[in-house]
Amino acid sequence: MNARLFRFTIAALALLGLSAAQAAPLKVGSKRFTESYLLGELVTQTLVAKGVPAEHRQGLGNTAILAAALQQGQIDVYPEYTGTVVRELLKRESPADAQAPLAQINAWLAPLGLKAAVPLGFNNSYALALREADAARLGLSTISDLGAKAPALKLGLSHEFIARADGWPALQQAYGLKLQPGTGLDHGLAYQALADSQVDLIDVYTTDAQLARQPVRVLRDDRAFFPRYDAVLLMRAAVDDGPLQSLAGRLPEATMIRLNAAAELQGQPFADVARDFLAGALASPQPPPPQGFMARLLAPDLRALLAQHLALVLASLALAVAVAVPLGITAHRLPRLASPVMAVVGLLQTLPSLALLAFLIALVGRIGFMPALLALFVYALLPIVRNTHAGLQAVSAGLPQAALALGLTPNQTLRAIELPLALPTLMAGVKTAAVTNVGTATVAAFVGAGGLGERIVAGLAVNDSALMLAGALPAALLAVVVQLTFDALERSVMPGRQHNAGKEFRDRGA
């Protein structure tokens, strides 16, 4: 009987696990530039239309982050380019490898548990561009001219292009260029910086919508350095690409440029552009009127983004309080540890946020909520540890001594006398950490953890200041609300706690 019951239980759990796995949506990733956002939306909406649950985790970062997330199963599919797969992921440098057919690329990807499928129909190569007036004045038409004529130009290259195996370092060597890359610039801001003469030479994608709008000259790659970057969908080997085959060959370069223009130049939301294309409505010559700022501020995604943002802030704050308060107490009780503890948490506070996120992604082996949570936890430690220690130090030494003389244990004294008296200072540290983390949590969007930073990152991708403000303003208002909430909490709780501490002390004395 027990054996049958055991087998039945195992079978039921297996069926539940199977149904849960079937119900889990496919996770679609995308990089932080217009075209990738759009392709991610096209993939997501195509899957949903075919009855496959899917969600779009947009703007996760660069190639390395997306590829790692794919291999770890945090995402299932994302749009990529064959040249990037060969050069950046597979580390194959020969020109012949860069032009390999899809079947060969898949043979190389198989040991990684990945595959490339659904050729979308366009090639989006890298190129270098500068203002047409400067190109004419300097006589520049090819990349070789940059080396031969050695003009003094200020470069505004994207961060990924500076670091990629098929980017600036290899290009500089192939052409013998003496120009220095300088400081990295987000691709979404590059065209505006070029138009404003803040930079002179930028890297571009050949399907950028801005190329038709801006008076720029694209320099010819006369040594054929850049491989073909045919758009495909890179996915885990176990993913069924059948529901996505309807996208194969459906996006020639002219169509992709129109899609990019609809999002970047006309200000249409990525989801709307994808929906219109799939419905065959993008060809309409009259673009919809741009949304007003209030419509973008109060868009339907606001509630979900606020919830994600608050979850990050509150979870990291709770974790920091659980660790930092005992650390502050330890530093108070063991004075010889006070300086080392303060030095360590102070050092952690100085770590740059993106550098810390990169380290934590490598440490935990995943992107998303967990590394963002740990980063915010690290930044919340210093004010709480410092204020806990300072609050306890400010308590008159005679009070704990008198409490001990009346028979209270050290822990009872701490709980009933010292902590209530130190609570105003301690809570000021918690408040500082909470308000600071509301702002810092916006960087979580760079690693796919969501929150109000999603709008800021998406706005950067299309150089849309209104969209950036639609993310920054709620974050600022949320910080004010958190500040006022803690102020109200201090007014309502502190007097009572301090009164109770005094009452317990007097009762013990009686």
Side-chain angles (χ1 to χ4, degrees):
M1 178 67 180
N2 288 338
R4 286 199 301 272
L5 180 61
F6 177 75
R7 287 194 297 270
F8 175 78
T9 303
I10 293 297
L13 289 174
L15 285 173
L16 285 172
L18 180 61
S19 62
Q22 289 174 339
L26 280 178
K27 296 178 286 293
V28 181
S30 61
K31 300 183 187 181
R32 288 192 300 109
F33 62 95
T34 304
E35 186 167 286
S36 193
Y37 280 106
L38 286 170
L39 293 176
E41 277 296 327
L42 285 170
V43 170
T44 304
Q45 292 184 28
T46 298
L47 287 170
V48 171
K50 296 292 178 64
V52 180
E55 62 183 30
H56 185 193
R57 302 186 65 183
Q58 60 182 13
L60 294 182
N62 61 16
T63 300
I65 291 177
L66 268 294
L70 194 63
Q71 289 181 268
Q72 294 157 9
Q74 293 178 265
I75 59 174
D76 299 297
V77 56
Y78 80 95
E80 192 51 278
Y81 305 90
T82 53
T84 300
V85 172
V86 172
R87 290 276 179 88
E88 191 71 7
L89 301 186
L90 297 171
K91 306 299 183 185
R92 293 181 172 270
E93 303 295 334
S94 77
D97 287 347
Q99 310 300 331
L102 202 57
Q104 180 60 65
I105 292 174
N106 278 324
W108 292 331
L109 286 171
L112 302 177
L114 305 177
K115 66 180 180 182
V118 193
L120 297 174
F122 69 93
N123 169 43
N124 183 11
S125 182
Y126 269 117
L128 297 181
L130 70 165
R131 288 180 295 274
E132 176 61 38
D134 289 344
R137 176 173 54 84
L138 297 170
L140 303 177
S141 59
T142 67
I143 298 178
S144 290
D145 290 340
L146 291 175
K149 301 180 180 180
L153 299 175
K154 182 178 180 181
L155 274 59
L157 306 178
S158 64
H159 300 90
E160 185 169 2
F161 186 71
I162 291 174
R164 290 172 62 114
D166 57 345
W168 179 254
L171 180 71
Q172 188 179 36
Q173 183 178 7
Y175 279 94
L177 303 178
K178 298 292 191 282
L179 296 167
Q180 296 305 311
T183 305
L185 179 67
D186 192 276
H187 185 73
L189 305 176
Y191 284 97
Q192 190 61 51
L194 186 67
D196 294 341
S197 298
Q198 295 176 290
V199 296
D200 302 312
L201 183 74
I202 62 174
D203 62 289
V204 300
Y205 305 124
T206 53
T207 56
D208 279 347
Q210 294 278 6
L211 287 177
R213 183 181 189 184
Q214 300 279 0
V216 299
R217 180 180 296 184
V218 176
L219 298 179
R220 183 165 53 85
D221 180 15
D222 51 309
R223 297 185 185 178
F225 169 80
F226 292 115
R228 284 189 63 83
Y229 292 85
D230 292 307
V232 294
L233 300 181
L234 188 63
M235 61 190 74
R236 295 189 300 107
V239 173
D240 177 15
D241 58 83
L244 294 168
Q245 287 298 331
S246 61
L247 292 175
R250 197 171 166 187
L251 292 164
E253 288 184 25
T255 300
M256 195 65 242
I257 291 172
R258 285 195 297 123
L259 289 171
N260 288 333
E264 195 162 339
L265 305 183
Q266 298 171 10
Q268 297 182 45
F270 301 122
D272 290 356
V273 176
R275 188 177 303 111
D276 288 347
F277 171 75
L278 293 174
L282 191 70
S284 172
Q286 282 296 108
Q291 289 182 308
F293 175 70
M294 290 306 297
R296 305 181 84 173
L297 178 65
L298 302 175
D301 66 343
L302 180 60
R303 181 179 297 180
L305 295 178
L306 274 173
Q308 293 167 356
H309 208 93
L310 276 172
L312 279 170
V313 171
L314 296 179
S316 62
L317 189 65
L319 186 59
V321 169
V323 173
V325 171
L327 277 177
I329 294 171
T330 302
H332 167 66
R333 287 187 164 180
L334 302 172
R336 69 181 182 277
L337 294 180
S339 292
V341 168
M342 296 301 170
V344 170
V345 295
L347 178 64
L348 292 174
Q349 185 79 11
T350 65
L351 295 174
S353 56
L354 290 178
L356 179 59
L357 282 170
F359 171 77
L360 290 171
I361 289 171
L363 181 67
V364 303
R366 60 189 299 114
I367 61 172
F369 185 83
M370 187 54 66
L373 172 70
L374 293 176
L376 293 175
F377 156 74
V378 166
Y379 288 131
L381 287 176
L382 177 61
I384 302 175
V385 171
R386 182 180 57 200
N387 280 37
T388 300
H389 178 260
L392 292 172
Q393 290 290 97
V395 175
S396 173
L399 290 175
Q401 291 171 2
L404 292 171
L406 291 171
L408 271 70
T409 65
N411 285 340
Q412 288 173 329
T413 302
L414 175 69
R415 187 174 61 253
I417 306 300
E418 293 177 285
L419 278 178
L421 294 175
L423 196 57
T425 306
L426 190 159
M427 285 298 293
V430 175
K431 176 172 65 176
T432 299
V435 173
T436 302
N437 272 11
V438 170
T440 309
T442 55
V443 303
F446 286 95
V447 294
L452 294 165
E454 290 280 0
R455 290 180 173 183
I456 298 173
V457 172
L460 280 170
V462 295
N463 193 22
D464 187 339
S465 57
L467 184 55
M468 286 186 271
L469 190 58
L473 184 59
L477 291 175
L478 183 59
V480 172
V481 169
V482 169
Q483 171 86 24
L484 295 177
T485 301
F486 272 93
D487 289 344
L489 188 64
E490 288 174 348
R491 287 193 298 270
S492 63
V493 174
M494 299 308 165
R497 288 298 300 270
Q498 292 177 318
H499 172 73
N500 291 340
K503 183 176 183 299
E504 182 164 348
F505 184 74
R506 289 192 298 273
D507 290 345
R508 288 279 180 168

